[in-house]
Amino acid sequence: MGDPPQDSMDKLHGAGPNLAALTSYSWNVFRYLGDYLHLGGVVVLLLTMAKNQSCAGLSMRSQILYFIIFVTRYLDLFDHTQTAYLVFFKLTYIITSGVALMAFYSMQATYERHKDTCNLVIILVPCFTAALLLTNEYSTLEVLWTYSEFLEGFAMVPQYIFCYRDTNKDVGVTSFVVALGGYRVFYAMNWIYKKINMPQYMDIQSWIGGLVEIAFFLDYLNYRFRGASILRSMVLQVDEKINEISDKVELKVLGTQSSNNFSKDGQQIRRRRGAGAGEEEGLEV
């Protein structure tokens, strides 16, 4: 008989001889570098907000996604005995993501809402659907863990859209984005290392999310340091179209709509209309 099906918790914590071997290969230099880059990025984020006394240049929607990711992924803290290393990192990510959201709330006057335009429903719903279809086991922990893996692939998309619209290139913000993207690159190298040493190792959910995020990250680097981008035009067009549809639904259901529309060069045109008035006000910034 073959080995029993592995859920994601077993992959992480081990439940047999083969899984014990996989666990040993999991603790490699690429994983450690990824973990510390991730932690460093979080520290840079909080220090940048504290130093500037502002959340300018930062996407609150990305932080909302990260908070959801950490809460849904790390429910295994209540289900598995884990090393102090894992407990430290998991609790740190949950706490710091909550702190970041509280910082946005306390400094909301500096929040550039008009640049943070990514519609979270378009990310949350498809990722949850994918989790239901591709989970290894239909248990609450497993479905939510799978959901968090898909969701992380898109967690930085609101920040990238923000950066595509933003002309202010703050060093702290850039360092945060580079650290978070670099973390995923090292985790991809960690997956490759495990696959080479353990050919039976499979973690499709993590791989899909990782590849999506790395693609966005590489395009961001190209845009940030060379001024060229393959994805920027397409991503902004899709974002604008989604917001147009959202505005139409809001107008039909609530009778009012508020939107931030952008021209091709990223300049803002703010509109607000009543259901019957058809009024429109344009403002470029």
Side-chain angles (χ1 to χ4, degrees):
M1 294 181 62
D3 293 328
Q6 304 171 13
D7 70 10
S8 300
M9 301 303 114
D10 289 333
K11 290 178 187 175
L12 287 173
H13 306 294
N18 288 337
L19 291 168
L22 176 59
T23 301
S24 68
Y25 286 119
S26 295
W27 298 100
N28 57 69
V29 65
F30 304 116
R31 174 174 182 165
Y32 283 118
L33 288 172
D35 284 343
Y36 288 116
L37 259 181
H38 191 181
L39 181 62
V42 171
V43 171
V44 168
L45 167 69
L46 297 178
L47 288 178
T48 298
M49 297 178 81
K51 174 180 176 293
N52 296 340
Q53 286 297 295
S54 167
C55 49
L58 296 166
S59 166
M60 183 172 70
R61 299 186 184 197
S62 275
Q63 297 309 311
I64 291 172
L65 290 179
Y66 274 118
F67 183 76
I68 295 172
I69 288 165
F70 297 142
V71 170
T72 54
R73 181 177 301 173
Y74 298 147
L75 289 173
D76 65 334
L77 284 167
F78 302 101
D79 187 66
H80 287 73
T81 300
Q82 302 176 37
T83 65
Y85 179 92
L86 287 174
V87 172
F88 167 77
F89 272 89
K90 292 178 179 184
L91 289 177
T92 298
Y93 292 147
I94 293 173
I95 293 169
T96 53
S97 62
V99 170
L101 288 178
M102 288 190 290
F104 270 98
Y105 178 77
S106 65
M107 296 185 285
Q108 57 185 311
T110 64
Y111 172 44
E112 298 170 299
R113 190 182 307 272
H114 61 281
K115 297 177 185 176
D116 200 8
T117 58
C118 183
N119 190 315
L120 294 188
V121 174
I122 300 301
I123 295 176
L124 293 169
V125 174
C127 285
F128 190 73
T129 302
L132 290 175
L133 295 174
L134 297 175
T135 185
N136 289 329
E137 178 185 299
Y138 285 98
S139 66
T140 301
L141 281 180
E142 179 67 13
V143 170
L144 291 177
W145 188 92
T146 305
Y147 178 49
S148 75
E149 287 296 304
F150 283 122
L151 200 57
E152 189 169 12
F154 298 91
M156 286 294 286
V157 170
Q159 181 65 57
Y160 291 135
I161 291 175
F162 193 114
C163 291
Y164 286 149
R165 299 194 187 284
D166 195 21
T167 57
N168 180 26
K169 298 178 179 179
D170 182 85
V171 173
V173 173
T174 299
S175 299
F176 159 68
V177 176
V178 170
L180 267 290
Y183 137 69
R184 293 301 274 178
V185 171
F186 278 111
Y187 254 64
M189 296 170 70
N190 160 56
W191 298 328
I192 293 170
Y193 175 82
K194 286 194 287 187
K195 185 66 176 176
I196 291 172
N197 288 281
M198 294 282 291
Q200 69 270 35
Y201 163 66
M202 293 290 290
D203 193 1
I204 298 297
Q205 300 94 329
S206 298
W207 297 349
I208 293 174
L211 288 173
V212 169
E213 186 164 1
I214 289 171
F216 276 104
F217 174 58
L218 294 178
D219 187 74
Y220 166 79
L221 290 180
N222 197 35
Y223 175 70
R224 173 64 177 83
F225 296 106
R226 298 183 57 198
S229 170
I230 297 174
L231 298 177
R232 180 179 184 269
S233 178
M234 178 192 71
V235 169
L236 292 183
Q237 286 178 13
V238 171
D239 181 58
E240 289 161 10
K241 180 59 65 176
I242 289 171
N243 281 309
E244 285 176 12
I245 294 172
S246 177
D247 286 342
K248 289 178 182 177
V249 172
E250 183 182 345
L251 181 62
K252 186 173 182 179
V253 174
L254 301 178
T256 60
Q257 99 176 355
S258 177
S259 66
N260 295 312
N261 297 320
F262 288 78
S263 61
K264 290 183 180 180
D265 61 358
Q267 293 297 307
Q268 182 196 7
I269 302 173
R270 183 184 295 272
R271 296 179 180 177
R272 183 177 295 273
R273 290 184 223 157
E279 298 174 353
E280 181 175 306
E281 179 183 359
L283 175 65
E284 288 195 0
V285 295

